[in-house]
């Protein structure tokens, strides 16, 4: 098996034949002509037999999908217009008992979603919406509490869907992906892992037993803050096919240009993530020693509660590129003043970019919650989230030193 550094550079290339481009062209066609009607008929009957219409399959996006599948493993990757579109399709598929299972009286219809309390905000809303429509119940659990997760999975109706992220937003709490996938498997549940924060460079959840892995390609996979996209990868071939069918129904396809940009970004994923992880560790250590900082949340710190779980499952020496810290005694006004002094770090409510980004969870990702609800999650009004980029660490530290000096 080649290293991920090598796979990222080469995966998804069109087989280099004489006279063919060495990189996938941006194919904007929405329809493909077939001179022979029998060939068109075969293509209409099976995606494998050729392209017909772009909502079913299209070559530029397929090159990106092939590269993601090479990095994540699994039976097939399906690209979407955003991370939320990928999660939507993955949850619809995971909740669907499937025609074969239903007809054979096999797997019972999943009527339950066991979900981590700290899921990305839009994902929480989506889960509630899908549960209301499908009649499924939702059990929200502290994903670090394996006993509670097991109890929720075994509760009637047994099975269902387990949905979690490996590193949480913004406090970087760490879930044990292998143990959770095993718990789901033992309970007959299907696990959906949002690995946006971790990327395939740090962990490959399908190899640990997960049923689906989902990414917001807007973040690390694309990596340059210039493409909105998502991708879902299924462990089983029939589940990958179901994802493709679902995408064709929803029409939530990635565009050819965004597919090109996402693949272009993916080529340097290992280099970027390695550097971002180094910078995050450096920033976390520096912040932890700063008198105005009450607490730093980063699993790479020796004293962090999630360090052992992170070290046991992530690429050795890597703890992610997201961190958060509490400004001592600060509320919204002090946080705003601090963030407005930043000159290198950008005030952008996104993450995974080559540029280092700072965000204020209380007015961005967790805006919909009351201060009491945020406090219950441990997110204080002085909490600042950082997505480490690839700039020089000394420049980032100097920027934070200036911002915190006021
Ligand atoms: C951004 C994000 C999403 C949503 O992705 P979009 O591309 O914005 O739709 C989902 N999960 C996590 C963890 C994210 O950070």
């Amino acid at each position: 098996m080649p290293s991920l550094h090598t796979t990222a550079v080469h995966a998804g290339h069109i087989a280099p034949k004489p006279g063919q481009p060495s990189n996938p062209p941006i194919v904007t066609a929405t329809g493909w002509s077939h001179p022979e009607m029998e060939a068109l008929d075969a293509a209409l009957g099976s995606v494998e037999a050729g392209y017909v219409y772009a909502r079913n399959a299209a070559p530029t996006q397929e090159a990106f999908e092939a590269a993601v599948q090479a990095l994540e493993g699994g039976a097939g990757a399906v690209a979407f217009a955003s991370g939320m579109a990928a999660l939507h399709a993955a949850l619809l598929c995971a909740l669907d008992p499937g025609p074969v299972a239903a007809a054979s009286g096999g797997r019972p219809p999943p009527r339950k979603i066991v979900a981590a309390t700290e899921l990305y905000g839009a994902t929480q809303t989506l889960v509630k919406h899908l549960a209301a429509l499908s009649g499924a119940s939702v059990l929200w659990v502290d994903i670090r509490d394996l006993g509670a997760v097991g109890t929720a999975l075994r509760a009637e109706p047994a099975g269902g869907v387990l949905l979690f992220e490996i590193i949480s937003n913004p406090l970087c709490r760490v879930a044990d992906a292998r143990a959770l996938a095993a718990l789901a498997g033992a309970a007959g549940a299907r696990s959906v892992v949002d690995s946006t924060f971790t990327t395939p460079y740090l962990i490959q959840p399908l190899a640990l037993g997960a049923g689906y892995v989902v990414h917001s390609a807007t973040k690390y996979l694309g990596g340059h803050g210039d493409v909105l996209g998502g991708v879902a990868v299924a462990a089983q071939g029939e589940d990958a096919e179901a994802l493709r069918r679902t995408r064709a129904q929803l029409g939530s396809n990635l565009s050819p240009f965004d597919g090109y940009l996402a693949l272009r970004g993916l080529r340097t994923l290992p280099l970027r993530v390695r550097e971002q992880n180094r910078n995050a560790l450096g920033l976390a250590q520096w912040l932890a020693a700063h008198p105005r900082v009450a607490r730093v949340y980063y699993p790479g710190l020796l004293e962090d509660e999630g360090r052992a779980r992170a070290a046991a499952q992530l690429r050795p020496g890597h703890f992610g590129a997201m961190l958060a810290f509490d400004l001592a005694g600060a509320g919204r006004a002090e946080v705003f003043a601090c963030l407005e002094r930043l000159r290198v770090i950008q005030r952008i409510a996104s993450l995974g970019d080559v540029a280092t980004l700072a965000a204020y969870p209380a007015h961005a990702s967790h805006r919909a919650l009351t201060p009491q609800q945020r406090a219950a999650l441990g997110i204080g009004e002085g909490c600042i989230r950082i997505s480490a980029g690839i700039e020089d660490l000394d420049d980032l530290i100097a920027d934070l030193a200036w911002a915190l000096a006021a």
Side-chain angles (χ1 to χ4, degrees):
M1 272 280 283
S3 141
L4 231 60
H5 286 260
T6 307
T7 304
V9 170
H10 292 285
H13 270 140
I14 290 173
K17 291 185 202 133
Q20 281 215 349
S22 63
N23 274 305
I26 302 173
V27 178
T28 57
T30 50
W32 280 261
S33 76
H34 293 263
E36 291 168 14
M37 286 306 288
E38 288 298 341
L40 174 58
D41 186 60
L44 281 166
S46 153
V47 176
E48 315 303 328
Y51 301 108
V52 179
Y53 185 62
R55 183 155 42 72
N56 300 326
T60 313
Q61 296 92 313
E62 278 189 352
F64 170 63
E65 292 170 342
V68 172
Q69 192 196 335
L71 295 175
E72 285 288 6
V78 183
F80 291 87
S82 69
M84 290 317 302
L87 277 162
H88 183 197
L91 286 173
L92 283 180
C93 291
L95 276 169
D96 186 346
V100 180
S104 68
R107 200 160 52 201
R111 284 277 169 254
K112 185 175 73 192
I113 305 174
V114 178
T117 45
E118 295 181 74
L119 287 175
Y120 183 75
T123 311
Q124 293 185 33
T125 310
L126 175 67
V127 164
K128 289 175 193 158
H129 193 159
L130 288 178
L133 287 175
S134 67
S137 55
V138 187
L139 300 180
W140 298 98
V141 290
D142 177 345
I143 206 68
R144 294 168 298 172
D145 184 346
L146 296 178
V149 175
T151 302
L153 284 167
R154 285 188 298 273
E156 286 299 320
V161 175
L162 174 66
L163 173 63
F164 64 97
E165 297 161 8
I166 300 168
I167 295 183
S168 77
N169 175 34
L171 300 181
C172 300
R173 292 175 174 150
V174 181
D176 183 338
R178 185 193 298 274
L180 289 164
L183 278 176
R190 315 169 96 190
S191 45
V192 179
V193 182
D194 181 339
S195 191
T196 298
F197 276 32
T198 26
T199 82
Y201 190 62
L202 299 194
I203 191 167
Q204 287 137 324
L206 299 179
L208 300 177
Y212 301 83
V213 61
V214 179
H215 289 277
S216 167
T218 315
K219 316 294 171 51
Y220 292 98
L221 301 191
H224 295 73
D226 56 5
V227 48
L228 190 69
V231 62
V233 195
Q236 305 292 331
E238 65 192 63
D239 292 334
E241 278 311 311
L243 281 172
R244 271 189 204 104
R245 281 197 304 275
T246 303
R247 183 184 62 186
Q249 285 166 25
L250 300 173
S252 48
N253 302 62
L254 188 66
S255 80
F257 189 63
D258 287 336
Y260 164 84
L261 281 177
L263 179 59
R264 170 79 178 239
L266 206 63
R267 297 279 179 241
T268 54
L269 178 80
L271 292 182
R272 286 184 284 107
V273 172
R274 188 168 66 185
E275 200 62 23
Q276 286 160 330
N277 277 240
R278 274 194 200 136
N279 278 344
L281 179 62
L283 289 175
Q285 288 169 339
W286 182 85
L287 283 164
H290 196 284
R292 283 197 69 198
V293 174
R295 181 163 173 192
V296 179
Y297 305 88
Y298 185 65
L301 293 179
L302 288 175
E303 63 273 21
D304 194 89
E305 179 267 337
R307 182 178 164 102
R309 276 191 308 287
Q313 59 182 339
L314 303 182
R315 176 177 290 269
H318 291 70
F319 296 94
M322 300 299 298
L323 63 141
F325 64 96
D326 290 331
L327 202 54
R332 177 185 169 102
E334 292 79 13
V335 167
F336 278 22
C338 169
L339 294 181
E340 282 177 359
R341 283 169 66 87
L342 292 168
R343 294 174 296 192
V344 176
I345 298 172
Q346 301 184 13
R347 288 159 294 270
I348 293 182
S350 185
L351 60 107
D353 200 303
V354 285
T356 299
L357 311 180
Y360 183 45
H363 86 157
S365 57
H366 293 73
R367 188 186 185 97
L369 305 185
T370 64
Q372 291 72 25
Q373 288 170 321
R374 283 193 290 270
L377 288 173
I379 303 166
E381 302 302 291
C383 180
I384 295 173
R385 185 188 79 181
I386 303 276
S387 164
I390 63 168
E391 303 95 329
D392 187 85
L393 178 60
D394 289 341
D395 292 335
L396 298 174
I397 287 176
D399 201 32
L400 278 171
W402 164 255
L404 291 171

